[in-house]
Amino acid sequence: MLGFDTYKEIDGINCLNKKDKSPYFTNYEHIYPWTNENLRDFFDMFDVKEKKVLCPTSSGDHFLNLALEGATDITCFDINRLSKYYQELKITLIKRLDYSDFENILFSNDVYTCLITYFSNNDVQFKKNLKESVYEFWSNVVKQYEINSIMSHDVQVDAYWNNKYLLNEKNYYQLKNRLKNVKLRYLDCDIKNLNKITHEKYDYIFTSNIFYYLMKDGSHKGTFDDLINLIGKEGQIVQYSFMPNHTNDLYFEERRKHDAKILYRCEQDNYIENIYTYRRRND
């Protein structure tokens, strides 16, 4: 697990609103408060119970839904070094709050404002619950930055309902219980370089929609090959894909080469939503 370099990350926030808009992600990006993907039903398609999983950190929702489904060994990766601080914050809030209290955060759709309240009240128990480095990070951030400076607004309205762990009290309390037994690691790394910093073998690698962005420079091709080497003999890479119709065929070579199976397909307007799985070929 990589460490939390608190003050280096805080300095990185200063770059967020100064850089030019780019189609590529960098080490410091605005944080997604909730997933835009329908994870509410997504993980029902896979048996992740007691499995070893690699997934994006992002909003923290991949990890939380996987933990709810029973995954016990989860490594989260993200090129955005700020994402892990937000995921740790969400984990702490869920461990600490009752469902009704967490609902108040949902309906305000603003975890950041809730965070400011905790620090304004000098909540001693909250400080105790958070890792020291994570507490230091958020303590400094809320003093120096407005919400627009760090949180992304590129999210769907009511995006939190994309999460199974938030649908009802039963799921929420089941997640609280399962968080006690999850082994969690973080990798500050983009998907193209995962094979350089981990040599673990995973039962599942969930890639979200990352490959859509890799297509912009053609690097999705070599990345598929590298990821195949990180799954076990019976492992799977699961690719969620949401992209314009005209770009869908750009994956054809990788789907053929790695014997991809399509689990879900939906066309809407000028976009196609797909879920593919990739396995090791036996030939």
Side-chain angles (χ1 to χ4, degrees):
M1 174 177 171
L2 296 185
F4 289 72
D5 193 347
T6 304
Y7 293 101
K8 179 181 178 181
E9 319 300 20
I10 291 172
D11 286 340
I13 297 174
N14 295 323
C15 304
L16 285 180
N17 299 302
K18 295 179 181 178
K19 67 176 187 176
D20 295 331
K21 183 69 175 176
S22 169
Y24 305 104
F25 291 103
T26 65
N27 289 347
Y28 298 101
E29 295 283 348
H30 290 89
I31 302 168
Y32 283 87
W34 310 101
T35 180
N36 280 323
E37 299 170 31
N38 179 14
L39 300 184
R40 184 176 62 249
D41 305 312
F42 182 77
F43 291 114
D44 290 342
M45 291 184 270
F46 310 99
D47 178 16
V48 299
K49 188 173 183 180
E50 299 183 356
K51 294 297 195 299
K52 187 173 185 177
V53 178
L54 182 66
C55 70
T57 311
S58 192
S59 65
D61 288 331
H62 280 77
F63 167 78
L64 292 167
N65 283 285
L66 281 163
L68 173 63
E69 295 297 331
T72 51
D73 188 333
I74 305 174
T75 299
C76 297
F77 70 91
D78 208 308
I79 189 174
N80 183 5
R81 299 177 65 90
L82 304 179
S83 296
K84 61 182 179 288
Y85 291 95
Y86 186 67
Q87 177 167 300
E88 284 292 319
L89 174 64
K90 266 190 179 176
I91 291 170
T92 299
L93 289 172
I94 289 170
K95 284 181 176 179
R96 178 176 179 182
L97 298 178
D98 290 335
Y99 182 70
S100 58
D101 292 327
F102 201 87
E103 269 192 321
N104 292 332
I105 298 175
L106 300 186
F107 294 142
S108 68
N109 205 19
D110 190 352
V111 175
Y112 195 75
T113 299
C114 168
L115 183 64
I116 293 173
T117 302
Y118 281 119
F119 283 104
S120 299
N121 294 339
N122 195 25
D123 193 311
V124 176
Q125 188 60 41
F126 186 64
K127 180 176 182 179
K128 183 179 178 181
N129 293 152
L130 279 173
K131 293 176 182 176
E132 182 177 356
S133 55
V134 178
Y135 181 86
E136 288 296 325
F137 174 82
W138 287 112
S139 179
N140 281 277
V141 166
V142 298
K143 292 174 185 175
Q144 299 179 46
Y145 302 99
E146 298 294 328
I147 185 170
N148 291 339
S149 298
I150 188 168
M151 304 303 294
S152 172
H153 293 276
D154 186 21
V155 291
Q156 303 165 353
V157 176
D158 296 340
Y160 44 83
W161 293 127
N162 284 327
N163 295 291
K164 188 174 181 178
Y165 71 91
L166 295 176
L167 288 184
N168 53 56
E169 290 190 48
K170 178 183 177 181
N171 290 353
Y172 183 82
Y173 286 111
Q174 188 173 40
L175 172 61
K176 283 171 72 80
N177 185 55
R178 289 185 169 171
L179 284 173
K180 300 173 185 176
N181 302 309
V182 178
K183 185 176 183 180
L184 170 60
R185 306 177 189 86
Y186 291 104
L187 300 175
D188 287 328
C189 177
D190 86 355
I191 198 170
K192 293 186 289 187
N193 294 300
L194 281 171
N195 67 312
K196 297 176 183 177
I197 62 172
T198 180
H199 301 289
E200 301 282 337
K201 298 294 184 184
Y202 299 93
D203 299 304
Y204 286 97
I205 298 177
F206 293 96
T207 68
S208 187
N209 198 32
I210 295 173
F211 280 105
Y212 171 65
Y213 299 94
L214 298 190
M215 287 193 314
K216 298 178 187 297
D217 63 4
S219 59
H220 62 289
K221 296 180 180 179
T223 304
F224 271 103
D225 294 336
D226 292 337
L227 288 182
I228 286 291
N229 293 324
L230 293 179
I231 58 174
K233 186 177 180 180
E234 302 299 325
Q236 297 183 57
I237 297 172
V238 181
Q239 176 205 0
Y240 170 83
S241 169
F242 185 78
M243 61 183 63
N245 287 344
H246 70 276
T247 62
N248 190 55
D249 287 341
L250 294 177
Y251 283 126
F252 177 77
E253 181 182 340
E254 278 65 42
R255 295 201 298 267
R256 178 191 57 78
K257 181 178 179 181
H258 298 298
D259 198 23
K261 307 296 183 188
I262 186 165
L263 298 185
Y264 174 84
R265 180 183 179 90
C266 178
E267 296 190 28
Q268 41 186 300
D269 298 325
N270 294 318
Y271 284 81
I272 298 178
E273 185 178 28
N274 296 308
I275 297 173
Y276 297 104
T277 61
Y278 301 78
R279 296 178 181 266
R280 288 182 176 273
R281 293 185 72 106
N282 295 321
D283 51 24

